[in-house]
């Protein structure tokens, strides 16, 4: 979900500056960055801190980026994602408020079920992606991107005021908790040792409040940004270090930073807001039509519905696709060409895949070039190399669903 630092040049880490200058090493000369409750914890564990969306966060620790990536695929890793905006939407009209902003069917969510959804504008562009959970405690729990913190909060607060001014029952609270993501095939086994609840009954995109390793009032949501099984744990800020320390006592768990998080999400075919989707990209163009609730498509009562539904019914000009190639890694902004050498699109994210030992990327091409198996060219370092449109995810996802 997050705009992150770009990743590897070969199969070792090399930070590459993005237009927003994310991923810069932290120095005193920079503007003051926000710190998560785990900032000193990261430094004590060898975290290499960089500037990211106004925060100082670890890009990696003592292990290499590739080792950290592979450890997550084989065991599990702990990520600090406390920079994400967490909010509660309360009141009888909370669902109506959220559905006035997003494309998803929030009303159909069962208690403690969540969904990925999209804030859209009237032109159909994506303002941000977010996860909305309808809690059994009577509020919506919303997690959205740090890079869109101010924009998202203003959007929701303005809509709350609009609803309140017409007498409707709704309010918003910012959740000041830390947020930890435990991701990987052994994540549930590790977490089960610290909770009384049976995690086998908590499938993908569901959530529950529980005590975790002695820390009360934690919200555990089975989701993540790696393609693996895992949980995001919203924990009171004062107990974040205590919980992280308890999790690290299990040898299955290692700390991981932004570098591994980005290559993991790319292998899983997950979008990075600001790179792969933005306010000039519609859900249909971004291959995210599945986020549109069926009832919402019929009612056409979300921002940009006239544009988006017309694209669903007709032909869209361009689509987000996966790409694979040998040779030099594809990077954001690399031109995509057809086999005749005409530029037809642009790479939005790219890196070498530690799991596949091939270069993977996402980008936008005209619809007639979007079929998997279509041969294309990508210009890397002023040289053209062969690429192939590929299905996503590049690496099979392992989300936990009830059989």
């Amino acid at each position: 979900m997050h705009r992150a630092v770009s990743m590897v040049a070969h199969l070792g880490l090399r930070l590459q500056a993005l237009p927003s200058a994310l991923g810069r090493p932290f120095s005193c000369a920079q503007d003051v960055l926000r710190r998560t409750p785990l900032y000193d914890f990261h430094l004590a564990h060898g975290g290499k801190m960089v500037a990211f969306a106004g925060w100082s966060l670890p890009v990696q620790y003592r292990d290499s980026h590739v080792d950290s990536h592979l450890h997550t695929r084989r065991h599990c890793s702990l990520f600090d994602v406390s920079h994400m905006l967490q909010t509660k939407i309360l009141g009888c009209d909370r669902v109506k408020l959220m559905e006035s902003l997003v494309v998803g069917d929030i009303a159909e969510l069962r208690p403690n079920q969540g969904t990925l959804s999209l804030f859209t504008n009237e032109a159909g562009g994506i303002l941000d992606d977010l996860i909305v959970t309808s809690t059994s405690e009577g509020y919506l729990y919303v997690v959205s991107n740090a890079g869109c913190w101010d924009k998202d909060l203003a959007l929701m607060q303005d809509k709350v005021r609009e609803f309140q001014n017409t007498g409707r029952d709704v309010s918003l609270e910012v959740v000041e908790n830390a947020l930890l993501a435990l991701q990987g095939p052994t994540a549930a086994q590790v977490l089960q040792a610290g909770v009384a609840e049976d995690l086998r009954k908590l499938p993908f995109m569901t959530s529950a409040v529980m005590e975790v390793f002695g820390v009360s009032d934690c919200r555990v949501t089975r989701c993540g940004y790696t393609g693996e099984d895992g949980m995001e744990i919203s924990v009171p800020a004062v107990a974040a270090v205590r919980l992280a320390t308890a999790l690290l006592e299990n040898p299955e768990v290692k700390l991981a930073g932004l570098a591994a998080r980005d290559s993991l999400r790319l292998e899983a075919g997950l979008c990075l807001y600001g790179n792969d989707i933005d306010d000039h990209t519609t859900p249909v163009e971004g291959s995210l039509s599945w986020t549109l609730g069926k009832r919402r498509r019929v009612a056409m009562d979300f921002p940009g519905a006239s544009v988006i539904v017309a694209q669903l019914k007709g032909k869209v000009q361009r689509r987000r696709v996966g790409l694979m190639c040998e040779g030099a890694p594809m990077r954001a902004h690399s031109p995509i060409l057809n086999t005749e050498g005409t530029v037809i699109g642009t790479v939005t994210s790219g890196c070498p895949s530690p799991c596949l030992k091939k270069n993977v990327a996402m980008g936008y091409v005209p619809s007639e070039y979007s079929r998997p198996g279509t041969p294309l060219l990508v210009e890397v370092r002023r040289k053209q190399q062969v690429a192939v449109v590929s299905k996503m995810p590049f690496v099979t996802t392992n989300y936990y669903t009830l059989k």
Side-chain angles (χ1 to χ4, degrees), residues 142-372:
V142 181
V143 180
S144 57
N145 286 309
C148 298
W149 181 296
D150 293 338
K151 178 176 71 173
D152 290 353
L153 189 56
L155 180 72
M156 291 186 285
Q157 287 175 331
D158 287 349
K159 187 59 70 169
V160 165
R161 283 191 288 269
E162 180 185 319
F163 268 50
Q164 290 174 340
N165 289 340
T166 57
R168 284 178 278 189
D169 177 28
V170 68
S171 62
L172 179 149
E173 294 178 7
V174 175
V175 179
E176 302 291 351
N177 284 2
L179 191 62
L180 303 179
L182 188 65
Q183 298 285 299
T186 60
Q189 167 196 319
V190 168
L191 196 63
Q192 187 64 75
V195 301
E197 288 78 2
D198 186 354
L199 295 178
R200 292 175 298 182
K201 298 178 181 178
L202 190 76
F204 182 59
M205 294 305 289
T206 61
S207 180
V209 175
M210 61 185 75
E211 182 177 293
V212 183
F213 286 99
V215 179
S216 58
D217 297 321
C218 292
R219 175 167 291 281
V220 176
T221 305
R222 199 151 198 163
C223 67
Y225 194 48
T226 63
E228 296 295 336
D229 185 20
M231 294 82 176
E232 291 188 353
I233 308 164
S234 181
V235 53
V238 294
V241 170
R242 175 181 161 197
L243 178 55
T245 301
L247 291 167
L248 279 181
E249 288 179 359
N250 191 314
E252 282 290 309
V253 183
K254 289 188 176 184
L255 291 168
L258 293 171
R261 191 166 175 80
D262 193 59
S263 54
L264 288 160
R265 70 92 193 167
L266 186 48
E267 285 187 342
L270 301 174
C271 289
L272 190 61
Y273 189 83
N275 278 38
D276 308 307
I277 51 175
D278 59 26
D279 57 4
H280 298 293
T281 309
T282 70
V284 183
E285 292 171 336
S287 300
L288 294 169
S289 299
W290 59 270
T291 63
L292 302 166
K294 292 180 181 179
R295 173 178 61 84
R296 308 299 309 281
R297 299 183 192 197
V298 174
M300 294 183 64
D301 58 353
F302 54 87
S306 59
V307 175
I308 295 168
V309 173
Q311 288 184 344
L312 283 171
K313 294 178 178 179
K315 183 179 180 182
V316 68
Q317 294 296 308
R318 61 175 189 147
R319 288 189 184 275
R320 177 175 63 94
V321 298
L323 299 165
M324 294 185 72
C325 79
E326 307 285 349
M330 298 171 282
R331 297 292 183 188
H333 312 300
S334 295
I336 303 171
L337 306 87
N338 62 19
T339 52
E340 286 75 45
T342 302
V343 175
I344 59 170
T346 307
V347 171
T348 55
S349 291
C351 73
S353 162
C355 291
L356 301 177
K357 304 295 191 291
K358 294 181 179 180
N359 301 315
V360 298
M362 294 183 200
Y364 283 83
V365 297
S367 294
E368 58 266 32
Y369 294 96
S370 64
R371 185 183 297 276

